[in-house]
Amino acid sequence: MSKSDYYELLGVGRDSSDADIKKAYRKKAMQFHPDKNPNNPSAEAKFKELSEAYDVLRDDNKRSAYDRYGHAAFEQGMGQSHGGNSAFDFASSFSDIFGDIFGDFMGGSNQSSGRGADLRYNMEVTLEEAYKGKKATIKIPTSVACSDCNGTGSEGKSSPQACRMCNGAGKVRAQQGFFTIERTCPQCQGAGYQIINPCKKCSGNGRLRKDKALSVSIPAGIESGVRIRLSGEGEAGMRGSSPGDLYIFVNVKQHNLFLREGPHLFCKVPISITTAALGGNVEVPTLEGKRGKINIPAGTQSGKQFRLRGKGMPPLKGHNLGGDLHIETHVETPVNLSKKQKELLKEFENEGKGSSQNPQSEGFFSKAKELWDELKD
Ligand SMILES: [Zn+2]
Ligand SMILES: [Zn+2]
């Protein structure tokens, strides 16, 4: 599927100012925001596309790269493994956009509707857990009705009184030109009443903090920076309004054997000089817990790469295909040799004199000799 032009997506010209782009994004993002289009995958996809477009166009560097090269500027290319701005980066940059745009507009809607705040939960997983997927139980802070005041917020028998500013309506009206603007009462924040004698346990909030256990499933193949949204698991809303969402930001810890790049795994495996010279089978670790086997041909050098197809990370739905395991050999020089071994090695060297058995050394030293000869003159 070919990607849509970022400018066309936002409906702005290529010479639009930053402010125009922000305005256009804001308008469209509000229209397609998942909270306004629950259970609507096409709106969510559109929202994602818009956010991706805005993430590029709001940044001067990314925008000029996009203007010059189009989408190709952000595709993962050869030798540019970290320069990409594909689907993965979307999640990590999303929080910035969030703060930038939704910080105010969501905050605004929170105040008027009483919708609970979105929560962010940072979760660390090991590479093994990222490989297999994980079911985790997390504790998140949430609020429950205060038991001392039964959620009223008032101490003892005193009952709350109707707010004097709005007369209990929770809203106030103001005339502005031809329009009558209705807004949340600033005195009681829309509650319609005021607590005269606040409950000591909950300070008049009527709610108390309590941890809630929540089970979360982390999909196999998860990458650092990917965000999992649990709709409605955020903070409770005020006065029965809808709760916020919970966002789980996943960070995959570094592994002591494997280096991960996207779906691919890399592992350096030491081999003895005899295996390197004579060839042989070497067992290598894989993340599925089994032993992989690679066949080392005779005369293998350090840095030689072998690939075990499909032994990398499993595919993460919607993000990538599964990866491979890349093994790099590292020929290890033996230490703590016995007297006998030293003799054998000397004998070994004498035996090979005159024949071309170390092509790299010979090539290197003949070039070095040329340099020494030149410097002599
Ligand atoms: Zn209370
Ligand atoms: Zn009021």
Side-chain angles (χ1 to χ4, degrees):
M1 199 180 75
S2 69
K3 284 180 101 164
S4 316
D5 181 82
Y6 286 156
Y7 291 99
E8 278 171 24
L9 264 172
L10 293 177
V12 293
R14 302 191 85 80
D15 52 357
S16 297
S17 67
D18 290 352
D20 285 344
I21 287 171
K22 183 170 180 172
K23 214 166 111 189
Y25 170 65
R26 196 185 169 110
K27 203 172 144 202
K28 296 223 170 200
M30 281 177 84
Q31 188 185 342
F32 292 100
H33 192 276
D35 286 340
K36 297 207 168 168
N37 302 274
N39 303 321
N40 183 345
S42 74
E44 189 165 345
K46 180 88 176 175
F47 178 72
K48 252 178 127 167
E49 269 191 317
L50 288 166
S51 302
E52 191 184 316
Y54 177 63
D55 182 48
V56 169
L57 298 185
R58 80 196 170 112
D59 179 308
D60 286 346
N61 290 331
K62 288 185 189 169
R63 185 177 172 182
S64 66
Y66 178 74
D67 287 344
R68 287 173 71 182
Y69 307 111
H71 292 299
F74 309 107
E75 269 149 25
Q76 306 250 356
M78 303 282 288
Q80 193 220 349
S81 54
H82 296 291
N85 183 56
S86 61
F88 311 120
D89 280 26
F90 168 72
S92 54
S93 63
F94 192 81
S95 53
D96 305 346
I97 303 179
F98 229 60
D100 188 8
I101 287 283
F102 296 107
D104 39 351
F105 119 62
M106 278 186 157
S109 76
N110 280 358
Q111 267 179 15
S112 56
S113 73
R115 182 182 177 273
D118 290 335
L119 296 176
R120 173 182 175 141
Y121 185 94
N122 295 328
M123 181 184 277
E124 275 219 321
V125 297
T126 63
L127 190 61
E128 287 92 336
E129 289 168 338
Y131 180 85
K132 287 191 200 122
K134 185 189 180 184
K135 278 238 183 312
T137 303
I138 60 173
K139 276 203 176 139
I140 52 162
T142 181
S143 21
V144 293
C146 170
S147 54
D148 273 24
C149 61
N150 292 321
T152 63
S154 288
E155 182 79 33
K157 294 271 180 285
S158 71
S159 51
Q161 293 187 2
C163 170
R164 281 192 210 129
M165 192 165 193
C166 62
N167 294 319
K171 289 169 188 157
V172 287
R173 288 172 181 208
Q175 193 77 27
Q176 254 179 37
F178 297 108
F179 303 102
T180 303
I181 310 278
E182 195 178 72
R183 61 191 176 100
T184 305
C185 171
Q187 183 80 35
C188 62
Q189 274 85 41
Y193 58 84
Q194 281 177 305
I195 307 290
I196 306 304
N197 190 6
C199 165
K200 287 188 183 69
K201 193 170 181 186
C202 64
S203 314
N205 287 321
R207 301 185 298 178
L208 286 172
R209 287 274 181 204
K210 201 190 168 207
D211 282 352
K212 170 167 86 169
L214 202 65
S215 104
V216 186
S217 62
I218 305 295
I222 193 95
E223 294 201 39
S224 285
V226 172
R227 167 189 78 108
I228 297 167
R229 175 170 176 246
L230 298 181
S231 178
E233 298 292 357
E235 208 170 60
M238 294 281 281
R239 297 176 297 281
S241 306
S242 60
D245 297 331
L246 172 67
Y247 291 91
I248 297 177
F249 284 72
V250 178
N251 180 42
V252 182
K253 277 191 259 187
Q254 287 220 329
H255 196 272
N256 57 13
L257 279 181
F258 299 102
L259 187 77
R260 177 187 193 175
E261 256 180 50
H264 299 296
L265 294 173
F266 296 84
C267 181
K268 268 195 179 171
V269 175
I271 56 173
S272 69
I273 50 169
T274 44
T275 305
L278 302 175
N281 285 324
V282 171
E283 281 189 336
V284 295
T286 65
L287 263 188
E288 59 183 352
K290 293 186 187 143
R291 292 156 198 256
K293 207 178 245 181
I294 51 172
N295 188 265
I296 307 283
T300 292
Q301 307 291 351
S302 274
K304 169 91 178 155
Q305 301 248 5
F306 297 86
R307 180 163 68 159
L308 294 176
R309 212 177 268 276
K311 298 287 182 194
M313 296 300 283
L316 178 61
K317 202 176 154 219
H319 279 286
N320 57 38
L321 303 166
D324 302 324
L325 170 59
H326 298 262
I327 300 289
E328 188 183 312
T329 56
H330 167 71
V331 180
E332 185 176 25
T333 308
V335 294
N336 304 324
L337 299 180
S338 69
K339 197 170 165 243
K340 176 86 193 269
Q341 283 176 310
K342 287 179 191 167
E343 283 166 14
L344 285 169
L345 276 178
K346 279 191 185 134
E347 201 180 315
F348 169 81
E349 194 178 12
N350 289 333
E351 181 68 25
K353 275 232 165 92
S355 48
S356 187
Q357 292 183 335
N358 296 303
Q360 283 180 26
S361 307
E362 282 152 25
F364 176 82
F365 286 109
S366 72
K367 281 181 203 141
K369 188 172 177 303
E370 280 169 30
L371 180 70
W372 288 328
D373 289 347
E374 262 172 48
L375 292 177
K376 245 188 253 170
D377 299 336

